[in-house]
Amino acid sequence: MNERIQAQLNKQPKTWIFQVISVLIVVILIGWSSSAVNFKGVTAGGMDVAGNIIKGIFNPDTQLLFNFTNQGVPYLLLETVCIAFLGTIVGAILAIPIAFLSATNLVPKPIALIGRVLIMAIRTIPTFVYGLMFIRVTGPGPFAGLLTMSVASIGMVSKMYIESIEDLDTKILESFEASGCTTFQKIKYGILPQLMPDFASTIIYRFDMNLRDATVLGLVGAGGIGAPLIFAMNAYKWNQVGAILAGLIILVLIVEWISSKIRVKLARG
């Protein structure tokens, strides 16, 4: 038996040469890339600034962190969450008709192609650019952030919706039709139960993404906590930066824990 196993192992292709060559290529590429790194800009003053940044971040301004006025971190985080949440909901609702009109198993291919081109065009423009565009239209503030999150969500959410729609089990619908069910009954009992778990999971995942994007949008004046963060950084108030980052970390952890619980619940039914 041992001889048979050994003979079988001997027949296996020798991959160690390929592995050694791969490692050598990676090492050469790393060495070649590191040659472009320039350390001449690192001065003693720069190291002092880096030290102040680290010191300030790990010693956050507790007065700002626990300030419950509209200038404090809790209120700004709540505003950021509201922008991300409402933007996700609006985008998810707008994505539904686009997704159904882009599903090849429901509409003719020319119509589906037009819908897919529209989705691709929406996905091509970065969220940051949408933010700059809407700020010009509505002015700076949370409403510009909400519009930006809504439009930016349509592209990805529609794409995920289409995959769920095209994976529908049509045999279930045929059985309902054979039973004499109406169109409303087929939608209620045949289509929605199949789509809702996937749709809900997609919305939750997009909300996680929008929460982080909403923070960045604040940098261009689209509401949320991004604007106070950039102002504090420009003023070298690293204690305030630390307070804002601490609030963001806590918020992201809480949202991630809640969303993971919901996704597990949806997956297990």
Side-chain angles (χ1 to χ4, degrees):
M1 180 66 68
N2 291 334
E3 293 179 357
R4 288 183 180 179
I5 295 174
Q6 187 63 38
Q8 188 68 26
L9 291 174
N10 291 333
K11 293 180 181 179
Q12 295 294 325
K14 302 295 188 296
T15 60
W16 66 270
I17 298 177
F18 174 76
Q19 294 173 354
V20 171
I21 294 173
S22 300
V23 171
L24 288 175
I25 292 174
V26 171
V27 171
I28 292 171
L29 289 175
I30 292 174
W32 178 59
S33 301
S34 61
S35 63
V37 178
N38 186 5
F39 293 97
K40 293 180 180 180
V42 180
T43 61
M47 296 303 294
D48 291 338
V49 172
N52 291 332
I53 293 173
I54 296 173
K55 182 180 178 181
I57 289 176
F58 285 97
N59 292 279
D61 185 351
T62 54
Q63 291 184 353
L64 180 64
L65 187 59
F66 297 103
N67 183 357
F68 293 97
T69 66
N70 58 1
Q71 302 297 324
V73 172
Y75 177 85
L76 295 171
L77 289 175
L78 177 62
E79 186 177 74
T80 303
V81 172
C82 291
I83 292 171
F85 178 76
L86 292 176
T88 304
I89 296 300
V90 173
I93 293 173
L94 294 176
I96 292 175
I98 298 175
F100 276 97
L101 291 174
S102 303
T104 54
N105 60 334
L106 297 180
V107 298
K109 289 186 178 181
I111 297 177
L113 180 61
I114 295 173
R116 289 172 184 266
V117 170
L118 175 63
I119 294 171
M120 184 177 63
I122 294 173
R123 286 167 55 88
T124 301
I125 302 175
T127 305
F128 202 75
V129 176
Y130 279 124
L132 294 173
M133 292 167 56
F134 283 116
I135 285 173
R136 294 293 182 183
V137 176
T138 64
F143 186 59
L146 189 152
L147 293 176
T148 303
M149 292 290 95
S150 300
V151 176
S153 299
I154 291 174
M156 189 205 103
V157 174
S158 298
K159 188 174 183 298
M160 302 298 290
Y161 281 179
I162 292 171
E163 293 180 2
S164 300
I165 294 169
E166 291 182 341
D167 289 338
L168 280 173
D169 188 355
T170 56
K171 293 181 179 179
I172 296 177
L173 301 180
E174 292 173 358
S175 63
F176 277 113
E177 187 174 358
S179 301
C181 294
T182 62
T183 302
F184 176 77
Q185 289 174 329
K186 286 190 290 184
I187 293 173
K188 182 178 180 181
Y189 299 108
I191 296 177
L192 291 181
Q194 295 186 66
L195 295 181
M196 287 306 296
D198 291 339
F199 280 18
S201 180
T202 299
I203 293 171
I204 293 169
Y205 180 61
R206 184 64 204 186
F207 172 68
D208 288 344
M209 296 177 63
N210 283 347
L211 185 62
R212 294 161 178 80
D213 289 342
T215 302
V216 178
L217 285 177
L219 301 178
V220 296
I225 203 167
L229 177 61
I230 194 64
F231 291 154
M233 292 175 67
N234 290 335
Y236 301 104
K237 297 179 180 179
W238 303 115
N239 290 338
Q240 294 184 8
V241 173
I244 294 172
L245 291 179
L248 283 172
I249 291 171
I250 294 171
L251 175 65
V252 169
L253 290 175
I254 292 173
V255 171
E256 184 66 27
W257 181 78
I258 295 174
S259 61
S260 63
K261 291 291 184 181
I262 296 174
R263 280 196 293 265
V264 170
K265 183 67 175 178
L266 290 172
R268 297 179 178 177

Short mmCIF file of all heavy atoms in Angstrom, two decimals, residues 110-156:
data_model
loop_
_atom_site.label_atom_id
_atom_site.label_comp_id
_atom_site.label_asym_id
_atom_site.label_seq_id
_atom_site.Cartn_x
_atom_site.Cartn_y
_atom_site.Cartn_z
N PRO A 110 -33.31 44.26 -26.53
CA PRO A 110 -32.97 45.67 -26.81
C PRO A 110 -33.29 46.61 -25.64
O PRO A 110 -32.50 47.50 -25.31
CB PRO A 110 -33.80 46.00 -28.05
CG PRO A 110 -34.02 44.69 -28.72
CD PRO A 110 -34.15 43.70 -27.61
N ILE A 111 -34.44 46.39 -25.00
CA ILE A 111 -34.81 47.22 -23.86
C ILE A 111 -33.87 46.95 -22.68
O ILE A 111 -33.43 47.88 -21.98
CB ILE A 111 -36.28 46.95 -23.46
CG1 ILE A 111 -37.22 47.35 -24.61
CG2 ILE A 111 -36.64 47.73 -22.19
CD1 ILE A 111 -38.67 47.04 -24.33
N ALA A 112 -33.56 45.67 -22.47
CA ALA A 112 -32.64 45.32 -21.39
C ALA A 112 -31.26 45.93 -21.63
O ALA A 112 -30.59 46.38 -20.69
CB ALA A 112 -32.53 43.81 -21.26
N LEU A 113 -30.85 45.98 -22.88
CA LEU A 113 -29.54 46.57 -23.20
C LEU A 113 -29.52 48.06 -22.87
O LEU A 113 -28.52 48.57 -22.33
CB LEU A 113 -29.23 46.35 -24.68
CG LEU A 113 -27.89 46.92 -25.18
CD1 LEU A 113 -26.73 46.28 -24.44
CD2 LEU A 113 -27.76 46.71 -26.68
N ILE A 114 -30.60 48.76 -23.17
CA ILE A 114 -30.67 50.19 -22.85
C ILE A 114 -30.58 50.40 -21.34
O ILE A 114 -29.87 51.29 -20.86
CB ILE A 114 -31.99 50.79 -23.40
CG1 ILE A 114 -31.99 50.75 -24.93
CG2 ILE A 114 -32.16 52.23 -22.91
CD1 ILE A 114 -33.31 51.16 -25.55
N GLY A 115 -31.29 49.56 -20.59
CA GLY A 115 -31.23 49.68 -19.14
C GLY A 115 -29.84 49.40 -18.59
O GLY A 115 -29.36 50.10 -17.69
N ARG A 116 -29.17 48.42 -19.14
CA ARG A 116 -27.83 48.09 -18.67
C ARG A 116 -26.81 49.19 -19.02
O ARG A 116 -25.89 49.45 -18.25
CB ARG A 116 -27.39 46.75 -19.25
CG ARG A 116 -28.14 45.56 -18.65
CD ARG A 116 -27.83 44.28 -19.38
NE ARG A 116 -28.62 43.17 -18.85
CZ ARG A 116 -28.21 42.32 -17.90
NH1 ARG A 116 -27.02 42.47 -17.38
NH2 ARG A 116 -28.99 41.35 -17.49
N VAL A 117 -27.00 49.80 -20.19
CA VAL A 117 -26.12 50.93 -20.55
C VAL A 117 -26.33 52.09 -19.59
O VAL A 117 -25.37 52.76 -19.16
CB VAL A 117 -26.38 51.36 -22.01
CG1 VAL A 117 -25.65 52.66 -22.32
CG2 VAL A 117 -25.94 50.27 -22.97
N LEU A 118 -27.58 52.34 -19.21
CA LEU A 118 -27.87 53.40 -18.24
C LEU A 118 -27.21 53.11 -16.89
O LEU A 118 -26.60 54.00 -16.27
CB LEU A 118 -29.39 53.54 -18.07
CG LEU A 118 -29.86 54.53 -17.00
CD1 LEU A 118 -29.42 55.94 -17.34
CD2 LEU A 118 -31.38 54.47 -16.84
N ILE A 119 -27.32 51.86 -16.45
CA ILE A 119 -26.69 51.48 -15.18
C ILE A 119 -25.18 51.63 -15.25
O ILE A 119 -24.54 52.14 -14.31
CB ILE A 119 -27.08 50.03 -14.82
CG1 ILE A 119 -28.57 49.93 -14.53
CG2 ILE A 119 -26.27 49.53 -13.63
CD1 ILE A 119 -29.08 48.52 -14.38
N MET A 120 -24.60 51.23 -16.36
CA MET A 120 -23.15 51.35 -16.52
C MET A 120 -22.72 52.82 -16.50
O MET A 120 -21.69 53.17 -15.92
CB MET A 120 -22.72 50.69 -17.82
CG MET A 120 -21.22 50.67 -18.05
SD MET A 120 -20.75 49.79 -19.56
CE MET A 120 -21.55 50.84 -20.79
N ALA A 121 -23.52 53.68 -17.13
CA ALA A 121 -23.20 55.11 -17.14
C ALA A 121 -23.26 55.69 -15.74
O ALA A 121 -22.41 56.51 -15.34
CB ALA A 121 -24.17 55.85 -18.07
N ILE A 122 -24.25 55.27 -14.95
CA ILE A 122 -24.36 55.75 -13.57
C ILE A 122 -23.18 55.28 -12.73
O ILE A 122 -22.62 56.02 -11.92
CB ILE A 122 -25.70 55.28 -12.95
CG1 ILE A 122 -26.88 55.93 -13.67
CG2 ILE A 122 -25.75 55.61 -11.46
CD1 ILE A 122 -28.23 55.41 -13.23
N ARG A 123 -22.78 54.03 -12.94
CA ARG A 123 -21.67 53.46 -12.16
C ARG A 123 -20.33 54.07 -12.55
O ARG A 123 -19.38 54.04 -11.76
CB ARG A 123 -21.62 51.95 -12.37
CG ARG A 123 -22.71 51.19 -11.66
CD ARG A 123 -22.78 49.75 -12.15
NE ARG A 123 -21.51 49.07 -12.02
CZ ARG A 123 -21.11 48.41 -10.93
NH1 ARG A 123 -21.91 48.36 -9.88
NH2 ARG A 123 -19.96 47.79 -10.91
N THR A 124 -20.23 54.62 -13.76
CA THR A 124 -18.95 55.14 -14.23
C THR A 124 -18.53 56.39 -13.47
O THR A 124 -17.35 56.59 -13.19
CB THR A 124 -19.04 55.46 -15.74
OG1 THR A 124 -19.38 54.27 -16.45
CG2 THR A 124 -17.72 55.98 -16.27
N ILE A 125 -19.49 57.24 -13.09
CA ILE A 125 -19.18 58.51 -12.44
C ILE A 125 -18.90 58.27 -10.96
O ILE A 125 -19.74 57.67 -10.26
CB ILE A 125 -20.33 59.50 -12.61
CG1 ILE A 125 -20.61 59.72 -14.10
CG2 ILE A 125 -20.02 60.83 -11.92
CD1 ILE A 125 -21.82 60.59 -14.38
N PRO A 126 -17.77 58.72 -10.42
CA PRO A 126 -17.46 58.50 -9.00
C PRO A 126 -18.41 59.27 -8.09
O PRO A 126 -18.99 60.30 -8.47
CB PRO A 126 -16.02 59.04 -8.87
CG PRO A 126 -15.48 59.08 -10.26
CD PRO A 126 -16.65 59.33 -11.15
N THR A 127 -18.57 58.77 -6.88
CA THR A 127 -19.45 59.42 -5.90
C THR A 127 -19.00 60.84 -5.60
O THR A 127 -19.82 61.74 -5.42
CB THR A 127 -19.47 58.59 -4.60
OG1 THR A 127 -19.83 57.24 -4.90
CG2 THR A 127 -20.46 59.16 -3.60
N PHE A 128 -17.71 61.04 -5.55
CA PHE A 128 -17.16 62.36 -5.26
C PHE A 128 -17.61 63.38 -6.30
O PHE A 128 -17.95 64.53 -5.97
CB PHE A 128 -15.64 62.28 -5.22
CG PHE A 128 -14.99 63.39 -4.44
CD1 PHE A 128 -15.02 63.40 -3.06
CD2 PHE A 128 -14.35 64.43 -5.10
CE1 PHE A 128 -14.43 64.42 -2.35
CE2 PHE A 128 -13.75 65.45 -4.40
CZ PHE A 128 -13.79 65.45 -3.01
N VAL A 129 -17.66 62.97 -7.57
CA VAL A 129 -18.09 63.87 -8.64
C VAL A 129 -19.57 64.19 -8.51
O VAL A 129 -20.00 65.34 -8.70
CB VAL A 129 -17.77 63.24 -10.01
CG1 VAL A 129 -18.31 64.11 -11.15
CG2 VAL A 129 -16.28 63.04 -10.17
N TYR A 130 -20.39 63.17 -8.17
CA TYR A 130 -21.81 63.42 -7.93
C TYR A 130 -21.98 64.46 -6.83
O TYR A 130 -22.85 65.34 -6.92
CB TYR A 130 -22.52 62.13 -7.54
CG TYR A 130 -22.89 61.23 -8.70
CD1 TYR A 130 -22.47 59.91 -8.74
CD2 TYR A 130 -23.67 61.70 -9.74
CE1 TYR A 130 -22.80 59.08 -9.79
CE2 TYR A 130 -24.02 60.88 -10.80
CZ TYR A 130 -23.58 59.57 -10.82
OH TYR A 130 -23.91 58.75 -11.87
N GLY A 131 -21.18 64.33 -5.78
CA GLY A 131 -21.27 65.29 -4.68
C GLY A 131 -20.99 66.70 -5.12
O GLY A 131 -21.73 67.64 -4.78
N LEU A 132 -19.96 66.90 -5.91
CA LEU A 132 -19.63 68.23 -6.41
C LEU A 132 -20.74 68.77 -7.31
O LEU A 132 -21.05 69.97 -7.29
CB LEU A 132 -18.31 68.18 -7.18
CG LEU A 132 -17.06 67.87 -6.35
CD1 LEU A 132 -15.85 67.68 -7.25
CD2 LEU A 132 -16.80 68.98 -5.33
N MET A 133 -21.35 67.89 -8.11
CA MET A 133 -22.43 68.32 -9.00
C MET A 133 -23.65 68.77 -8.21
O MET A 133 -24.22 69.84 -8.48
CB MET A 133 -22.79 67.18 -9.95
CG MET A 133 -21.71 66.84 -10.96
SD MET A 133 -22.00 65.26 -11.81
CE MET A 133 -23.63 65.52 -12.50
N PHE A 134 -24.07 67.98 -7.23
CA PHE A 134 -25.28 68.32 -6.48
C PHE A 134 -25.08 69.51 -5.56
O PHE A 134 -26.04 70.23 -5.27
CB PHE A 134 -25.77 67.10 -5.69
CG PHE A 134 -26.47 66.08 -6.52
CD1 PHE A 134 -25.95 64.81 -6.67
CD2 PHE A 134 -27.66 66.39 -7.16
CE1 PHE A 134 -26.59 63.86 -7.45
CE2 PHE A 134 -28.32 65.45 -7.95
CZ PHE A 134 -27.78 64.18 -8.09
N ILE A 135 -23.85 69.72 -5.09
CA ILE A 135 -23.59 70.90 -4.28
C ILE A 135 -23.79 72.17 -5.10
O ILE A 135 -24.28 73.19 -4.60
CB ILE A 135 -22.16 70.83 -3.69
CG1 ILE A 135 -22.13 69.82 -2.54
CG2 ILE A 135 -21.70 72.19 -3.18
CD1 ILE A 135 -20.76 69.54 -2.02
N ARG A 136 -23.44 72.11 -6.40
CA ARG A 136 -23.67 73.25 -7.28
C ARG A 136 -25.16 73.51 -7.48
O ARG A 136 -25.58 74.66 -7.69
CB ARG A 136 -23.01 73.00 -8.64
CG ARG A 136 -21.50 72.94 -8.60
CD ARG A 136 -20.91 74.27 -8.26
NE ARG A 136 -19.45 74.23 -8.28
CZ ARG A 136 -18.67 75.25 -7.97
NH1 ARG A 136 -19.23 76.40 -7.59
NH2 ARG A 136 -17.37 75.14 -8.01
N VAL A 137 -25.97 72.46 -7.40
CA VAL A 137 -27.41 72.59 -7.66
C VAL A 137 -28.15 73.00 -6.40
O VAL A 137 -28.97 73.94 -6.42
CB VAL A 137 -27.98 71.26 -8.20
CG1 VAL A 137 -29.50 71.36 -8.37
CG2 VAL A 137 -27.32 70.90 -9.53
N THR A 138 -27.91 72.32 -5.30
CA THR A 138 -28.68 72.54 -4.07
C THR A 138 -27.94 73.37 -3.03
O THR A 138 -28.53 73.77 -2.03
CB THR A 138 -29.07 71.19 -3.43
OG1 THR A 138 -27.86 70.51 -3.02
CG2 THR A 138 -29.82 70.32 -4.42
N GLY A 139 -26.65 73.58 -3.24
CA GLY A 139 -25.86 74.24 -2.21
C GLY A 139 -25.34 73.22 -1.22
O GLY A 139 -25.82 72.08 -1.16
N PRO A 140 -24.35 73.61 -0.42
CA PRO A 140 -23.79 72.67 0.56
C PRO A 140 -24.80 72.31 1.64
O PRO A 140 -25.66 73.11 2.00
CB PRO A 140 -22.59 73.43 1.13
CG PRO A 140 -22.91 74.87 0.91
CD PRO A 140 -23.69 74.93 -0.36
N GLY A 141 -24.70 71.10 2.13
CA GLY A 141 -25.61 70.67 3.19
C GLY A 141 -25.98 69.21 3.06
O GLY A 141 -25.62 68.54 2.08
N PRO A 142 -26.73 68.69 4.03
CA PRO A 142 -27.10 67.27 4.02
C PRO A 142 -27.93 66.85 2.82
O PRO A 142 -27.84 65.70 2.39
CB PRO A 142 -27.90 67.10 5.33
CG PRO A 142 -27.49 68.25 6.19
CD PRO A 142 -27.17 69.36 5.25
N PHE A 143 -28.77 67.77 2.28
CA PHE A 143 -29.61 67.38 1.15
C PHE A 143 -28.78 67.02 -0.07
O PHE A 143 -29.11 66.08 -0.80
CB PHE A 143 -30.58 68.51 0.80
CG PHE A 143 -31.59 68.16 -0.25
CD1 PHE A 143 -32.46 67.09 -0.05
CD2 PHE A 143 -31.67 68.86 -1.43
CE1 PHE A 143 -33.40 66.74 -1.01
CE2 PHE A 143 -32.60 68.52 -2.40
CZ PHE A 143 -33.46 67.47 -2.19
N ALA A 144 -27.69 67.74 -0.29
CA ALA A 144 -26.79 67.40 -1.39
C ALA A 144 -26.18 66.01 -1.17
O ALA A 144 -26.02 65.23 -2.11
CB ALA A 144 -25.68 68.44 -1.51
N GLY A 145 -25.84 65.71 0.08
CA GLY A 145 -25.31 64.38 0.38
C GLY A 145 -26.34 63.29 0.15
O GLY A 145 -26.01 62.21 -0.36
N LEU A 146 -27.59 63.57 0.51
CA LEU A 146 -28.66 62.58 0.31
C LEU A 146 -28.85 62.29 -1.18
O LEU A 146 -28.95 61.12 -1.59
CB LEU A 146 -29.96 63.10 0.92
CG LEU A 146 -31.15 62.13 1.01
CD1 LEU A 146 -32.04 62.52 2.17
CD2 LEU A 146 -31.97 62.12 -0.27
N LEU A 147 -28.89 63.34 -2.00
CA LEU A 147 -29.05 63.14 -3.45
C LEU A 147 -27.86 62.37 -4.02
O LEU A 147 -28.03 61.50 -4.88
CB LEU A 147 -29.19 64.49 -4.14
CG LEU A 147 -30.47 65.28 -3.84
CD1 LEU A 147 -30.43 66.64 -4.54
CD2 LEU A 147 -31.71 64.51 -4.27
N THR A 148 -26.68 62.70 -3.54
CA THR A 148 -25.49 62.01 -4.03
C THR A 148 -25.53 60.53 -3.69
O THR A 148 -25.27 59.67 -4.55
CB THR A 148 -24.23 62.64 -3.42
OG1 THR A 148 -24.20 64.03 -3.73
CG2 THR A 148 -22.97 61.97 -3.94
N MET A 149 -25.87 60.20 -2.45
CA MET A 149 -25.95 58.79 -2.05
C MET A 149 -27.02 58.05 -2.83
O MET A 149 -26.85 56.88 -3.20
CB MET A 149 -26.25 58.70 -0.55
CG MET A 149 -25.14 59.16 0.38
SD MET A 149 -23.72 58.05 0.39
CE MET A 149 -22.67 58.85 -0.82
N SER A 150 -28.13 58.74 -3.12
CA SER A 150 -29.22 58.09 -3.84
C SER A 150 -28.80 57.70 -5.25
O SER A 150 -28.98 56.55 -5.67
CB SER A 150 -30.44 59.03 -3.90
OG SER A 150 -30.88 59.36 -2.60
N VAL A 151 -28.24 58.66 -5.97
CA VAL A 151 -27.85 58.39 -7.36
C VAL A 151 -26.69 57.39 -7.41
O VAL A 151 -26.68 56.48 -8.25
CB VAL A 151 -27.48 59.71 -8.07
CG1 VAL A 151 -26.98 59.42 -9.49
CG2 VAL A 151 -28.66 60.64 -8.12
N ALA A 152 -25.72 57.55 -6.51
CA ALA A 152 -24.57 56.65 -6.52
C ALA A 152 -24.97 55.22 -6.17
O ALA A 152 -24.32 54.26 -6.60
CB ALA A 152 -23.52 57.15 -5.53
N SER A 153 -26.04 55.06 -5.41
CA SER A 153 -26.49 53.72 -5.01
C SER A 153 -27.19 52.98 -6.15
O SER A 153 -27.20 51.75 -6.18
CB SER A 153 -27.44 53.80 -3.81
OG SER A 153 -26.80 54.38 -2.69
N ILE A 154 -27.78 53.72 -7.08
CA ILE A 154 -28.60 53.10 -8.12
C ILE A 154 -27.79 52.11 -8.94
O ILE A 154 -28.25 51.00 -9.25
CB ILE A 154 -29.22 54.18 -9.03
CG1 ILE A 154 -30.26 54.97 -8.25
CG2 ILE A 154 -29.85 53.54 -10.26
CD1 ILE A 154 -30.84 56.15 -9.02
N GLY A 155 -26.57 52.49 -9.31
CA GLY A 155 -25.77 51.64 -10.20
C GLY A 155 -25.50 50.27 -9.62
O GLY A 155 -25.82 49.24 -10.24
N MET A 156 -24.92 50.22 -8.42
CA MET A 156 -24.57 48.93 -7.82
C MET A 156 -25.81 48.13 -7.43
O MET A 156 -25.89 46.93 -7.68
CB MET A 156 -23.70 49.15 -6.59
CG MET A 156 -23.11 47.86 -6.03
SD MET A 156 -22.72 47.97 -4.28
CE MET A 156 -24.09 47.08 -3.57
#
